[in-house]
Amino acid sequence: MAAGKLSEINVTPLVDVLLVLLIIFMVTTAAAEQQRVEQKKQTSIQDKTESLVVLNLPVTPENDYLADPETSKLVVVIDKSLRVFVVRGLSTAAGQDPIADCSRARSAADYPACFDVIVKTLGQNQRMLKEGLYLEADADAPYGFVSGVLEAFRGIGLESVDIVTDPGFKAVLE
């Protein structure tokens, strides 16, 4: 018998490889999580309110601002039939009734009655006046109606209105 041959395995390279793999795993996990968060941010209000109304949002160039899908602000939605919906946040959008239905308006002279209903409904909401709101209007809604709604908001003292546009604008413009 050979006297005392001792065979030992050198584990240092194995530990080095495992540490490198651990670092790679941690970096890719963080990158994947960041990508998931970005994708969630890009989920627009339109996607959340799809069960409420179908909207054709206006396309705007170079609009990097996206609505916060986790917002607690009021969201005012105007569809092409001139129905006005108000939802709190984005998770409560389904199944709402319009606060104003101006679909029977045949001319701009009929709009003020609808604006009065909107002002009466939203005018006493102090939280909205402080936080502001999102306005999401269909591209096919008359410009005069949408600007009248904005003017009605200004009349009740609302200073911050974020207008939501199509976040897919880059694909459309290319």
Side-chain angles (χ1 to χ4, degrees):
M1 249 187 166
K5 259 200 163 179
L6 187 62
S7 62
E8 293 183 19
I9 298 176
N10 189 1
V11 294
T12 304
L14 178 64
V15 170
D16 289 345
V17 169
L18 289 176
L19 288 175
V20 168
L21 288 174
L22 179 64
I23 291 171
I24 290 171
F25 177 72
M26 289 170 45
V27 168
T28 56
T29 302
E33 178 66 20
Q34 184 177 5
Q35 183 179 10
R36 187 187 67 79
V37 168
E38 280 298 314
Q39 201 170 29
K40 187 176 179 182
K41 279 185 183 177
Q42 291 183 1
T43 302
S44 70
I45 293 178
Q46 179 182 10
D47 295 335
K48 298 286 187 171
T49 59
E50 223 168 59
S51 62
L52 180 64
V53 289
V54 177
L55 292 178
N56 175 24
L57 290 176
V59 176
T60 55
E62 298 183 21
N63 179 15
D64 292 329
Y65 178 76
L66 294 176
D68 178 13
E70 302 300 322
T71 187
S72 63
K73 288 183 180 181
L74 286 180
V75 181
V76 175
V77 180
I78 302 172
D79 70 358
K80 66 182 178 184
S81 300
L82 302 184
R83 295 179 302 165
V84 180
F85 299 87
V86 176
V87 295
R88 176 156 315 276
L90 302 178
S91 60
T92 59
Q96 297 288 322
D97 292 326
I99 62 163
D101 187 352
C102 305
S103 58
R104 293 187 189 103
R106 300 291 175 229
S107 68
D110 299 331
Y111 295 165
C114 290
F115 301 151
D116 292 342
V117 171
I118 294 168
V119 167
K120 194 180 299 183
T121 305
L122 299 177
Q124 303 302 318
N125 190 327
Q126 294 301 314
R127 181 176 174 196
M128 177 199 67
L129 295 176
K130 289 179 188 173
E131 291 181 5
L133 57 79
Y134 285 118
L135 176 65
E136 184 180 34
D138 194 290
D140 297 326
Y143 176 78
F145 184 80
V146 176
S147 64
V149 170
L150 285 170
E151 187 62 32
F153 291 154
R154 186 182 305 164
I156 61 175
L158 183 66
E159 295 179 12
S160 173
V161 177
D162 296 320
I163 299 174
V164 179
T165 58
D166 187 354
F169 65 91
K170 289 181 182 174
V172 174
L173 295 177
E174 292 175 352

